[in-house]
């Protein structure tokens, strides 16, 4: 109080003696203790009170206040708060003087010390409310009386000037944005006052001298992050005439997750749409074009049917759901019989003549017409659009047919639509209890490629689990009935055989994790869990043998070695018991053969008898032999291999004719056995993308050349890259992909390559993102700084890292509350030339001579997939978690710690630029979704980056988005960084107050 009295007395003396500003400055410093701000003694408040005692303001005292501000004796925050506290709004001259004073200082508002930073945002919020009060009071006066005085008009003009200046100052807008999160009550009052002003302006038809001020008032009342400037680094979609991101991503996702429901794909595409800022029209165009591109390059039967089924059955639902999620509540509903954005997308697609010509030739039909005829039933397009687009392609299609001269082999695409009806028929038949009907239907399914077609349709329509569960029930119902003989027994055995073979093939194709329940108690599910050899799921042969019953094994040995003698004994063994005990039989035969107790002819006779009994028996036997081969030395593989080959030996025509539908079942059993054998011991002469004597890096470069030549990611290349990931590990593959990215010379090629690399990393997005952040980026930048880690390479690399983080962040495992969370990444199926060998086996074949095969220790072969999605009632299907899960959290913390080292010096370097690009792109692309990532930013990283990065790249919009402004710590950090940015800007541009 003693100092306050001295300050008031000094103000009286200064006013009475009419001191100059300099005199005031000299004498006030004698009163204030050395190094203490005048804010401690309310210097600004004292000056303001004395300046506004009368009906008009005292200009001399206001000059003292301004001088104190320039001399840093008082803070801008204290001055603004003092002005906002003045509530005698009826004193027009005082208010006008304060407005003129504000206009003179508003361009230089800043903070010098920490104590000021905590007050400034609140002061700006109160100041804005004060300005709106003045504005509202004036326009309400005009609304009531129809006029305002000249003094009021001038005051209103000065208010508009201050509002205009404030709206132009990004620093003050950022302070207002931060302050609105702190002063929630005042923020609400500001919006109410703006509504009052808007109503008064509308009712009174008052014309403002500054027409833009109404928009500026709205901006101040409803300040958002988008009002704050931020330099954009992510290229706008208009610059990307041809996109290379949707097709590779869909190629990988359909390969990995064909069983996922529509919402999974929708969420993935929504993520990509946000990253690329695509409109619905552009996204729909890219989706359809991706389907055509992939189909145009597919030669194999299985991928062909899967992608064709995806296009016809899954894609329409994806487009409909994307369209529904983008609708704005209250918006005029779209037409009922078509989607306008899809029609616009088709108009873009119809211009791609080369692609459509190729598809018409491949499918021997007008592909657009063929596709749209089906889409009319789902109200994606109507008949008018079909006729329009079909007519545009008619001339080209006819010309292509003439050039073809009927030599083109019909594509599977022509039969895919027809497979939907057989699938429904099969499912309906399996619900009945008529054994003969089930046998007749199921034995027709493996004919030709019908089984693959039906599986493809069932997969993309989400009916695969239903199909499997009914096959399991059918297999259970086919157990032999005691005392049943003759034809009924034969039919029942055939039903068991064909259902067992179909189920085994499905498990080989999709993996038991996907199609079977974890605790299923049926015979087949138990057999798969305990006895069946799957890719990357080894079985211990000793544990399989432990399940055998010695008495049953002896009985089976007699039955298969001497079938004539066995026929004289009553055989009460069920087929299920035979399947479980066959490993014991095979083990005894192997030992006897190795000890030369049995001759090769005896072994052949036993194996032939096993195969003749039921074809599923040879599959069970092969599964045990494959498990056995994993556990023995390479020198001991010959005999079990020969036994498997004997199961693949053809049957005579008499043997085939002795059983009904034997040909189809035999072919399916051969296919299953070959896959099992190839998993364990691929033939050396087999041309496979997986088994090669060349180093991994050479295989990778060969695959990548096919990707570059194709201009997109073919399915076969995606399969090869998946196998290389399995063999080399995530860190090795990530390194190779980044090397290919940095090898590009032109920005356009770099962007396209980045899109493909980003999609390939979705083969295991969690592991590859972890590898990218922990093992690839930092060493690469440190090792190659100044070479090719510069513009634009560093920007593209930063974008890749950010895209992967966002995708990994949104690709969550389930919360454990849904049954669907048990679905894990499936084991992919390939034809017999493409089945992946175990990683250790692959390395064994490749050898240790590769320089790249042992660079990293990361040999993990997979992680869980993304969570299945929540309700589709909102516009986003994936919610952002509050905290990061491992390994993403550790990876982000690691890269941020590296960034802190990158900016620890005083010089601007490519490392510091990369840090800025990374953080800026993270905020720009992720928005509020990356809040859990931004919480991990180390203290001081942004301030150090501001000091090192002397350019004007960092804007207030970036800094304001880095912190959680809902909490006090986040607001303090944001204000501290913003004030440092402001002071550096003022020093750089030599702003004088």
């Amino acid at each position: 109080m003693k100092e306050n009295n001295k300050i008031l007395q000094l103000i009286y003396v200064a006013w009475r003696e009419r001191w100059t500003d300099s005199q005031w400055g000299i004498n006030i410093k004698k009163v204030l203790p050395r190094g203490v701000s005048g804010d401690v003694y309310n210097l600004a408040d004292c000056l303001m009170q004395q300046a506004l005692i009368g009906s008009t303001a005292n200009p001399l005292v206001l000059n003292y206040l301004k001088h104190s501000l320039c001399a840093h004796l008082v803070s801008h925050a204290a001055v603004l708060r003092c002005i906002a506290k003045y509530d005698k709004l009826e004193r027009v001259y005082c208010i006008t003087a304060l407005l003129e004073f504000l206009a003179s200082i508003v361009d230089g508002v800043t903070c010098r010390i920490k104590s000021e930073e905590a007050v400034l945002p609140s002061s700006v919020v109160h100041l804005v409310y004060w300005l709106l009060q003045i504005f509202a009071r004036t326009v309400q006066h005009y609304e009531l009386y129809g006029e305002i005085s000249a003094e009021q008009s001038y005051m209103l003009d000065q208010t508009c000037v201050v509002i205009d200046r404030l709206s132009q100052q990004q620093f003050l807008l950022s302070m207002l944005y931060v302050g609105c999160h702190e002063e929630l009550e005042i923020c609400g009052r500001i919006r109410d006052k703006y509504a009052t002003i808007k109503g008064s302006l509308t009712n009174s038809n008052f014309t403002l001298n500054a027409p833009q001020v109404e928009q500026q008032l709205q901006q101040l009342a409803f300040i958002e992050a988008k009002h704050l400037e931020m330099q954009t680094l992510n290229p706008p979609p208009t610059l990307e005439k041809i996109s290379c991101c949707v097709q590779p991503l869909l190629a990988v996702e359909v390969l990995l997750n064909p069983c996922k429901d529509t919402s999974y794909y929708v969420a993935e595409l929504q993520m990509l749409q946000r990253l690329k800022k695509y409109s619905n029209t552009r996204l729909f165009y890219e989706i359809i074009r991706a389907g055509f591109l992939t189909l145009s390059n597919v030669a194999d039967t299985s991928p062909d049917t899967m992608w064709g089924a995806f296009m016809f059955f899954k894609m329409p639902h994806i487009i409909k759901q994307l369209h529904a999620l983008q609708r704005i509540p209250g918006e005029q509903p779209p037409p009922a019989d078509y989607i306008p954005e899809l029609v616009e997308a088709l108009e873009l697609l119809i211009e791609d003549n080369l692609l459509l010509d190729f598809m018409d030739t491949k499918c021997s039909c007008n592909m657009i017409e063929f596709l749209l005829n089906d889409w009319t039933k789902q109200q994606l397009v109507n008949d008018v659009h079909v006729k329009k687009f079909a007519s545009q392609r008619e001339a080209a299609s006819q010309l292509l047919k003439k050039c073809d001269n009927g030599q083109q082999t019909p594509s599977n695409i022509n039969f895919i639509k027809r497979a939907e009806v057989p699938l429904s028929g099969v499912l309906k038949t399996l619900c009945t209890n008529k054994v003969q009907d089930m046998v007749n239907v199921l034995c027709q399914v493996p004919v030709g490629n019908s089984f693959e077609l039906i599986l493809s349709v069932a997969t993309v329509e989400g009916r695969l689990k239903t199909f499997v569960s009914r096959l399991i029930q059918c297999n259970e119902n086919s157990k032999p009935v005691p005392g049943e003989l003759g034809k009924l027994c034969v039919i029942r055995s055939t039903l068991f055989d064909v259902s067992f073979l179909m189920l085994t093939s499905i498990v080989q194709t999709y993996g038991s994790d996907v199609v079977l329940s974890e605790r299923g108690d049926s015979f087949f599910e138990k057999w798969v869990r305990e006895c069946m050899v799957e890719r990357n799921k080894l079985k211990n042969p000793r544990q399989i043998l432990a399940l055998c019953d010695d008495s049953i094994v002896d009985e089976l040995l007699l039955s298969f070695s001497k079938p004539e003698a066995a026929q004289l004994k009553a055989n009460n063994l069920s087929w299920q018991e035979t399947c479980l005990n066959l490993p014991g039989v095979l083990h005894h035969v192997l030992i006897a053969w190795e000890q030369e107790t049995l001759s090769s002819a005896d072994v052949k006779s036993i194996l032939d008898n096993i195969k003749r009994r039921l074809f599923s028996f040879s599959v069970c036997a092969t599964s045990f032999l494959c498990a056995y081969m994993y556990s023995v030395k390479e020198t001991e593989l010959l005999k079990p291999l020969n036994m498997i080959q004997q199961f693949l030996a053809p049957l005579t025509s008499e043997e085939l004719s002795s059983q009904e539908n034997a040909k189809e079942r035999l072919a399916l059993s051969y296919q299953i056995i070959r896959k099992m054998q190839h998993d364990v011991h691929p033939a050396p002469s087999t041309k496979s993308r997986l088994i090669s004597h060349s180093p991994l890096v050479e295989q990778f470069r060969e695959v990548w050349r096919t990707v570059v030549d194709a201009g997109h990611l073919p399915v076969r290349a995606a399969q090869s890259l998946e196998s290389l990931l399995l063999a080399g590990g995530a860190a090795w593959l990530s390194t190779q992909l980044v090397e290919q990215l940095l090898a590009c010379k032109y920005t356009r090629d770099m962007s396209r390559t980045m899109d493909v690399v980003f999609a390939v990393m979705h083969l295991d997005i969690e592991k590859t993102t972890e590898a990218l952040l922990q093992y690839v980026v930092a060493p690469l930048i440190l090792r190659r700084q100044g070479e090719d880690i510069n513009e634009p390479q560093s920007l593209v690399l930063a974008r890749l890292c950010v895209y992967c983080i966002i995708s990994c962040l949104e690709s969550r495992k389930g919360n454990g509350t849904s049954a669907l969370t048990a679905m894990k990444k499936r084991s992919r199926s390939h034809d017999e030339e493409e089945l992946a060998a175990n990683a250790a086996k692959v390395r064994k074949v490749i050898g240790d001579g590769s320089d790249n095969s042992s660079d990293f220790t990361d040999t993990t072969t997979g992680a869980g997939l993304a969570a299945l999605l929540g309700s589709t009632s909102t516009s986003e299907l994936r919610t952002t978690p509050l905290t990061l899960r491992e390994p993403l959290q550790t990876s982000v913390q690691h890269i941020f710690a590296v960034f802190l080292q990158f900016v620890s010096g005083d010089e601007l370097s490519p490392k510091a630029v990369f840090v800025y690009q990374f953080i800026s792109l993270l905020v720009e692309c992720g928005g509020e979704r990356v809040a859990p990532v931004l919480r991990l930013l180390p203290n001081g990283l942004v301030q150090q980056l501001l000091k090192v990065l002397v350019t004007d790249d960092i804007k207030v919009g970036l800094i304001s988005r880095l912190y959680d402004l809902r909490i006090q710590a986040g607001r303090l950090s944001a204000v501290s960084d913003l004030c440092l940015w402001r002071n550096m800007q003022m020093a750089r541009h030599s702003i004088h107050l």
Side-chain angles (χ1 to χ4, degrees):
M1 291 298 294
K2 184 178 178 181
E3 280 75 9
N4 283 354
N5 291 333
K6 286 182 180 180
I7 290 172
L8 289 173
Q9 188 177 2
L10 190 67
I11 294 173
Y12 296 147
V13 173
W15 175 70
R16 186 172 62 248
E17 297 179 3
R18 300 296 190 267
W19 284 354
T20 63
D21 297 344
S22 301
Q23 287 176 303
W24 163 258
I26 292 169
N27 286 287
I28 190 63
K29 290 179 181 177
K30 295 177 182 178
V31 175
L32 297 174
R34 186 177 182 85
V36 177
S37 170
D39 292 350
V40 178
Y41 304 106
N42 297 320
L43 175 58
D45 206 11
C46 295
L47 287 168
M48 191 70 69
Q49 289 177 14
Q50 296 304 314
L52 302 172
I53 288 177
S55 60
T56 59
N58 188 327
L60 185 61
V61 179
L62 284 179
N63 281 340
Y64 295 159
L65 179 60
K66 189 172 184 180
H67 180 83
S68 300
L69 196 58
C70 293
H72 308 313
L73 299 177
V74 294
S75 67
H76 285 92
V79 172
L80 297 181
R81 176 60 69 93
C82 289
I83 294 174
K85 281 165 47 177
Y86 187 70
D87 57 356
K88 296 180 174 59
L89 302 182
E90 69 279 359
R91 295 184 180 181
V92 176
Y93 294 106
C94 290
I95 296 295
T96 302
L98 288 178
L99 289 170
E100 290 174 343
F101 178 80
L102 267 175
S104 66
I105 68 167
V106 74
D107 290 335
V109 174
T110 186
C111 285
R112 299 291 176 181
I113 57 177
K114 286 287 182 183
S115 59
E116 300 174 9
E117 295 173 356
V119 186
L120 184 58
S122 176
S123 300
V124 174
V125 173
H126 283 84
L127 178 67
V128 170
Y129 181 56
W130 184 75
L131 290 171
L132 264 69
Q133 282 180 299
I134 299 170
F135 204 103
R137 181 183 177 86
T138 307
V139 296
Q140 283 176 328
H141 185 278
Y142 182 85
E143 183 182 8
L144 288 173
Y145 302 105
E147 61 178 1
I148 55 175
S149 65
E151 291 81 3
Q152 287 176 314
S153 178
Y154 179 73
M155 180 183 69
L156 186 61
D157 289 343
Q158 288 303 305
T159 307
C160 292
V161 169
V162 174
I163 289 173
D164 181 62
R165 294 274 186 88
L166 199 151
S167 299
Q168 302 302 322
Q169 282 293 330
Q170 284 290 307
F171 174 69
L172 289 175
L173 288 179
S174 65
M175 287 295 112
L176 176 63
Y177 179 65
V178 175
C180 282
H181 288 81
E182 181 177 350
E183 298 285 350
L184 297 176
E185 183 182 353
I186 302 298
C187 185
R189 292 184 195 173
I190 289 174
R191 293 176 179 179
D192 293 339
K193 194 62 67 176
Y194 168 74
T196 303
I197 293 171
K198 190 173 182 181
S200 298
L201 289 173
T202 304
N203 296 334
S204 62
N205 293 322
F206 184 74
T207 304
L208 296 167
N209 293 332
Q212 79 281 1
V213 76
E214 189 174 353
Q215 183 179 353
Q216 291 170 342
L217 284 172
Q218 183 182 13
Q219 178 183 344
L220 295 178
F222 298 92
I223 185 72
E224 296 179 9
K226 66 181 180 182
H227 296 135
L228 306 178
E229 289 181 0
M230 177 177 166
Q231 183 168 332
T232 57
L233 299 179
N234 205 28
T238 52
L239 297 179
E240 252 186 5
K241 300 301 181 185
I242 298 178
S243 171
C244 295
C245 60
V246 177
Q247 186 277 331
L249 187 62
L250 283 179
V252 169
E253 290 296 347
V254 173
L255 172 69
L256 295 180
N257 306 297
C259 299
K260 293 291 187 182
D261 60 6
T262 303
S263 58
Y264 176 87
Y265 292 99
V266 169
E268 198 81 7
L269 290 167
Q270 275 190 319
M271 179 267 296
L272 200 60
Q273 185 178 22
R274 285 192 301 272
L275 291 176
K276 292 291 187 177
K277 301 173 185 169
Y278 285 159
S279 63
N280 265 9
T281 298
R282 177 68 184 270
L283 182 63
F284 294 162
Y285 163 71
E286 294 293 348
I287 292 171
I288 304 170
R289 180 173 172 270
F292 282 163
L293 270 176
T294 309
L295 280 176
S296 69
N297 217 343
V298 169
D300 299 326
T301 304
S302 182
D304 198 349
T305 57
M306 183 62 70
W307 259 97
F310 180 83
M311 276 206 71
F312 283 107
F313 298 110
K314 184 77 79 178
M315 192 178 290
H317 296 293
I318 291 173
I319 292 173
K320 287 181 78 171
Q321 198 170 122
L322 281 169
H323 174 67
L325 290 172
Q326 294 296 329
R327 279 195 59 197
I328 301 171
E331 188 182 42
Q332 184 178 359
D337 61 340
Y338 73 97
I339 297 177
E341 295 97 329
L342 179 59
V343 175
E344 294 170 6
L346 290 168
E347 288 173 353
L348 294 174
L349 183 70
I350 208 75
E351 297 175 5
D352 196 342
N353 292 319
L354 287 177
L355 177 61
L356 294 179
D357 287 350
F358 188 89
M359 287 306 301
D360 287 356
T361 305
K362 179 181 176 71
C363 302
S364 305
C365 66
N366 186 333
M367 192 62 184
I368 286 287
E369 184 178 13
F370 187 64
L371 185 70
L372 297 188
N373 278 329
D374 180 63
W375 285 8
T376 54
K377 303 170 189 174
Q378 304 182 55
Q379 296 182 329
L380 296 175
V381 294
N382 57 31
D383 293 333
V384 175
H385 301 127
V386 177
K387 291 178 183 177
K388 173 188 173 183
F389 293 122
S391 63
Q392 288 180 265
R393 289 292 307 162
E394 184 64 30
S397 295
Q398 293 297 329
L399 182 62
L400 291 169
K401 285 182 180 178
K402 290 180 181 178
C403 296
D404 185 41
N405 292 326
Q407 296 177 0
Q408 181 71 29
T409 304
S411 169
N412 280 330
I413 296 171
N414 298 292
F415 304 104
I416 288 170
K417 283 300 295 179
R418 304 175 195 171
E420 188 177 20
V421 176
L423 172 62
S424 301
V426 170
L427 292 175
K428 185 177 180 180
T429 304
L430 292 178
C431 289
T432 67
N433 293 321
K434 299 178 180 178
V435 178
Q436 183 65 59
D437 290 348
M438 288 191 282
V439 169
N440 293 338
V441 169
L442 290 182
C443 286
Q444 292 304 313
V445 170
V447 176
N449 62 350
S450 298
F451 190 34
E452 289 179 345
L453 286 170
I454 288 175
L455 281 183
S456 298
V457 174
T459 301
V460 299
E461 284 194 336
R463 295 198 279 177
L464 181 62
K465 277 204 162 185
T466 304
F467 186 35
V468 170
S469 63
R470 292 186 184 175
L471 277 176
I472 290 174
Q473 189 60 43
C474 172
N475 186 262
E476 286 290 295
N477 294 338
S478 65
K479 291 180 179 178
V481 177
E484 187 178 62
L485 299 171
K487 186 175 181 181
L488 280 176
C489 183
V490 174
I491 293 173
R492 205 175 289 277
S493 67
T494 304
L495 181 60
F496 171 84
D497 199 33
V498 70
S499 60
F500 186 93
L501 292 172
M502 290 172 69
L503 283 167
T504 307
S505 179
I506 292 172
V507 170
Q508 277 189 325
T509 303
Y510 298 98
S512 57
D513 291 335
V514 174
V515 295
L516 301 180
S517 59
E518 289 185 357
R519 298 180 180 179
D521 58 353
S522 67
F523 159 73
F524 180 78
E525 288 168 301
K526 290 178 180 177
W527 179 80
V528 170
R529 278 197 302 269
E530 297 168 355
C531 302
M532 180 178 171
V533 172
E534 291 183 75
R535 181 189 177 200
N536 301 325
K537 285 189 177 181
L538 309 183
K539 294 290 191 302
N540 187 335
R542 295 183 182 275
Q543 293 179 356
I544 298 175
L545 291 172
L547 301 172
C548 298
D549 186 315
D550 290 341
S551 60
I552 297 178
V553 169
D554 292 340
E555 187 175 345
L556 287 174
L557 273 171
L558 176 63
S559 173
F560 291 130
S561 58
K562 297 179 180 179
E564 299 83 6
Q567 287 178 1
L568 301 177
K569 293 181 62 179
N571 188 352
N572 296 320
L573 292 180
S574 67
W575 305 303
Q576 289 83 355
E577 289 174 324
T578 304
C579 289
L580 291 175
N581 287 277
L582 271 173
V585 175
L586 270 294
H587 189 244
H588 280 290
V589 171
L590 265 173
I591 293 174
W593 194 11
E594 288 173 354
Q595 295 177 352
E596 298 183 355
T597 307
L598 286 177
S599 65
S600 299
D602 295 333
V603 173
K604 178 179 179 300
S605 174
I606 292 172
L607 297 179
D608 286 343
N609 289 331
I610 291 174
K611 183 168 66 172
R612 290 191 194 100
R613 196 74 56 89
L614 282 180
F615 299 124
S616 52
F617 290 172
S618 59
V619 169
C620 295
T622 301
S623 183
F624 167 74
L625 290 171
C626 289
Y628 177 81
M629 288 165 65
Y630 268 116
S631 64
V632 298
K633 299 177 183 178
E634 192 169 355
T635 55
E636 300 174 8
L637 293 177
L638 183 60
K639 282 184 169 56
L641 268 176
N642 285 335
M643 295 172 78
I644 293 175
Q645 288 302 315
Q646 185 58 38
F647 286 131
L648 293 172
L651 293 179
T652 62
S653 56
E654 292 81 8
E655 290 172 324
L656 286 174
S657 61
S658 64
Q659 300 184 43
E660 292 185 7
N661 306 111
K663 186 177 180 182
E664 293 78 14
R665 288 184 285 137
L666 180 65
L668 190 55
S669 70
Y670 284 170
Q671 180 183 341
I672 294 168
I673 291 170
R674 287 192 184 102
K675 285 182 179 181
M676 284 184 177
Q677 179 191 5
H678 194 88
D679 277 342
V680 182
H681 194 273
S685 60
T686 302
K687 290 184 178 179
S688 171
R689 70 185 199 290
L690 307 171
I691 308 302
S692 171
H693 293 283
S694 59
L696 282 179
V697 67
E698 291 184 12
Q699 296 179 57
F700 171 81
R701 288 170 183 165
E702 183 180 350
V703 174
W704 196 256
R705 275 194 294 271
T706 64
V707 175
V708 173
D709 293 342
H712 61 277
L713 184 64
V715 173
R716 185 177 288 275
Q719 294 169 341
S720 300
L721 289 167
E722 181 207 2
S723 302
L724 288 170
L725 170 65
L726 177 68
W732 178 85
L733 182 63
S734 300
T735 302
Q736 299 303 320
L737 291 169
V738 171
E739 291 287 353
Q740 294 299 323
L741 177 62
L742 298 178
C744 299
K745 295 182 179 180
Y746 302 103
T747 305
R748 182 181 62 181
D749 296 338
M750 231 174 284
S751 297
R752 292 181 180 180
T753 304
M754 195 221 78
D755 287 338
V756 178
V757 169
F758 174 57
V760 170
M761 296 185 103
H762 280 77
L763 289 167
D764 193 336
I765 189 63
E766 289 188 355
K767 286 294 181 184
T768 52
T769 302
E770 177 190 12
L772 186 68
L773 297 181
Q774 292 208 42
Y775 311 125
V776 179
V777 172
L780 203 62
I781 292 176
L782 289 171
R783 188 170 67 247
R784 297 165 63 167
Q785 182 182 350
E787 298 176 16
D788 49 7
I789 306 295
N790 211 329
E791 291 288 353
Q793 285 89 348
S794 65
L795 178 60
V796 177
L797 182 58
R799 192 184 310 144
L800 174 64
C801 294
V802 167
Y803 279 17
C804 288
I805 288 174
I806 293 172
S807 180
C808 191
L809 179 67
E810 296 185 12
S811 299
R812 310 303 304 168
K813 289 183 181 179
N815 298 323
T817 57
S818 170
L820 290 175
T821 59
M823 294 173 67
K824 300 170 184 171
K825 185 160 75 173
R826 74 177 184 85
S827 299
R828 270 72 65 196
S829 70
H830 312 299
D831 59 34
E832 64 181 72
E833 293 185 358
E834 297 177 334
L835 289 171
N838 175 271
K841 295 278 185 181
V842 175
R843 285 202 177 92
K844 187 175 181 181
V845 174
I846 293 171
D848 299 327
S850 171
D851 295 334
N852 299 278
S853 60
S854 58
D855 287 347
F856 303 98
T857 59
D858 179 13
T859 57
T860 310
T861 59
L865 280 180
L868 284 181
L869 313 158
S871 170
T872 58
S873 60
T874 60
S875 61
E876 303 294 346
L877 289 178
R878 286 180 179 167
T879 56
T880 304
L882 297 177
T883 57
L884 298 185
R885 291 178 57 182
E886 296 297 346
L888 182 59
Q889 177 162 326
T890 303
S891 303
V892 170
Q893 287 173 331
H894 173 80
I895 198 68
F896 281 164
V898 172
F899 286 172
L900 201 55
Q901 297 176 9
F902 281 0
V903 298
S904 59
D906 298 327
E907 296 180 356
L908 177 63
S909 65
K911 294 184 295 182
V913 174
F914 179 81
V915 174
Y916 157 69
Q917 291 168 339
F918 184 99
I919 295 175
S920 182
L921 282 167
L922 190 63
V923 172
E924 181 185 349
C925 300
E928 295 181 356
R929 292 172 171 265
V930 295
V933 179
L934 295 175
R935 288 194 198 104
L936 301 176
L937 280 171
N939 295 329
L941 174 61
V942 179
Q943 293 209 358
Q944 190 62 33
L945 183 62
L946 281 167
K947 295 173 184 176
V948 173
L949 204 67
V950 294
T951 61
D952 292 331
D953 292 332
I954 298 181
K955 308 287 185 183
V956 296
L958 173 60
I959 299 173
S960 301
R961 291 172 171 89
L962 289 176
Y963 302 99
D964 185 358
L965 301 181
R966 295 169 297 180
I967 59 176
Q968 180 70 14
R971 292 193 292 270
L972 290 175
S973 298
V975 173
S976 178
D977 292 349
L978 287 167
C979 290
L980 176 61
W981 175 87
R982 173 65 167 167
N983 293 331
M984 293 182 67
Q985 288 287 316
M986 292 174 69
R988 193 175 301 146
H989 300 294
S990 302
I991 296 178
H992 301 288
L993 300 180

